[in-house]
Amino acid sequence: DQYQTKLLTALQSGKDLPDIFDLERGYIGKFIDSKFLADLSAMGGEDLVKDYVPYVQGLGRSSDGKLKAISDHSSPGGFW
């Protein structure tokens, strides 16, 4: 339950930084516009999300439109 706090502390201190980390939908907004996330477009990220459902692709974009995260699912649902 202290994942966010530990992650933010590591990012702010600059020590023992993870290369990749998980962000939940509930708190991705705390991180998506921060200086700590790289623009994944330069690393081929746009190719990975080109066929994503638009709202899922948008979850990983910062307010200036840069691709900062890539979702691993869209949680679709259905009714019958």
Side-chain angles (χ1 to χ4, degrees), residues 22-30 55-56 58-60 71 73 75:
D22 182 48
L23 296 172
E24 295 283 336
R25 173 74 172 117
Y27 59 79
I28 193 171
K30 293 180 182 179
Y55 86 89
V56 176
L59 292 174
S71 180
H73 67 284
S75 298

Side-chain angles (χ1 to χ4, degrees), residues 7 10 13 18 21 23 25 32 35 38 40 52-53 60 70 74 78-79:
L7 178 60
S13 73
F21 49 89
L23 296 172
R25 173 74 172 117
I32 200 76
K35 64 181 180 179
L40 301 177
Y52 273 28
V53 176
I70 297 175
S74 63
F79 297 93

Side-chain angles (χ1 to χ4, degrees), residues 7-79:
L7 178 60
L8 189 56
T9 300
L11 293 171
Q12 290 174 335
S13 73
K15 296 181 182 183
D16 298 321
L17 297 173
D19 293 326
I20 298 173
F21 49 89
D22 182 48
L23 296 172
E24 295 283 336
R25 173 74 172 117
Y27 59 79
I28 193 171
K30 293 180 182 179
F31 294 88
I32 200 76
D33 283 321
S34 74
K35 64 181 180 179
F36 305 117
L37 300 181
D39 181 358
L40 301 177
S41 298
M43 299 175 214
E46 295 293 344
D47 289 335
L48 294 174
V49 300
K50 68 182 178 189
D51 295 324
Y52 273 28
V53 176
Y55 86 89
V56 176
Q57 189 184 120
L59 292 174
R61 293 201 181 273
S62 59
S63 60
D64 61 358
K66 292 181 181 174
L67 185 63
K68 300 285 192 99
I70 297 175
S71 180
D72 62 346
H73 67 284
S74 63
S75 298
F79 297 93

